Amino acid sequence: MPVSSLLVALKAFDATARAGSMTAAAKQLGLRQPTVSAHILRLEEEYGVELFFRKGRRLVLTEFGDALLEHTRRIFSAADDARSMLVAAKTHYSGTLNLHAIGPYNITPIIKAYRATHPNVQISVTVGDSQSITQSILDYQGDIGLVLNDINDPQIYCMPYRKQTLVIFAAKTHELANKKGALSLSDLVDQEFVLREEGSGTRQAFERYLNDKKIRIKTSVEMRSREAVREAVVQGLGLGVVADRAYLPGPDLVKLKVKGFDATTHTKFICRAERQNSPLIAEFLETARGMG
């Protein structure tokens, strides 16, 4: 198969694997569904491989297809970066930057500063936990991530950004909010907490801190967002913990002043190691570095 034809067929395969169906891939590529199907069938027949299991309308990647997808992701991500570099040179930086962040509080000031000098760059932000963000970056589903977890993966470039102090908060009706005198770490023992899901960097840092201090707590509810944690705390379901910058005060909430509580997290920007010099990514990281 000529290289040009192979690339077209691989593009059809890559889009189908990402979208989960040939119909969705065809729409994404601006092709007809039979055309996409023909490209994939040609790959399978010419190279004697099976790329998908076909279960009715559902497509499931085979083991070989899953391995091939790792290569096509790199190929077409590199092509996008090359296109971005050319467009940047021609238009003085324009394009789209996909950001994945643990929350808006650290990243929105950087976006504001970045767009002040790069007004033609469109930015999308997806909020999630550190674990899912890291996976999205590894899977080429995002350009830059803002996480809390330590990343020890050679495929990831990691730029330390900012240390954050954690705070514990409670509903004003909570017993600790109304306790006379200063609170101590021992007052946290056996208290119920509303915590983020297991992939949350804040939760991991908090639990490591408690473990080091030999403090045992109870988890009353797990929530998948800071907003949900805050609402659960307001409703009296337990105490909450959050980075000080992300704490939203309210008439029904109070920060607890716990003597000796000095837990912190460290935010980090991440991207695929081979993409750190891509123009839009490099410029955003440089902006963040100047504001850290």
Side-chain angles (χ1 to χ4, degrees), residues 57-70:
R57 293 186 177 182
R58 291 180 58 245
L59 293 178
V60 180
L61 281 168
T62 63
E63 184 176 349
F64 182 88
D66 193 50
L68 182 62
L69 181 61
E70 287 297 312

Side-chain angles (χ1 to χ4, degrees), residues 15 31 53 67 100 117 145 166 175 209 227 238 240-241 245 256 269:
L31 300 173
F53 294 118
H100 289 243
T117 54
L166 297 185
E175 60 177 353
Y209 178 86
E227 294 76 15
V241 61
R245 289 177 60 87
L256 298 182
F269 281 101

Side-chain angles (χ1 to χ4, degrees), residues 153-173:
D153 189 321
Q155 299 177 90
I156 292 288
Y157 168 73
C158 185
M159 186 187 87
Y161 179 56
R162 179 179 286 166
K163 183 168 77 170
Q164 301 184 129
T165 301
L166 297 185
V167 296
I168 297 171
F169 63 102
K172 284 190 174 180
T173 55

Side-chain angles (χ1 to χ4, degrees), residues 101-146:
I102 51 174
Y105 310 101
N106 280 300
I107 205 164
T108 47
I110 303 170
I111 293 173
K112 180 179 179 181
Y114 181 77
R115 283 189 50 79
T117 54
H118 302 85
N120 295 323
V121 177
Q122 293 183 333
I123 294 178
S124 70
V125 180
T126 301
V127 175
D129 62 74
S130 295
Q131 185 175 324
S132 65
I133 290 170
T134 302
Q135 193 58 53
S136 293
I137 298 301
L138 284 170
D139 290 343
Y140 297 93
Q141 300 301 306
D143 299 314
I144 298 173
L146 177 64

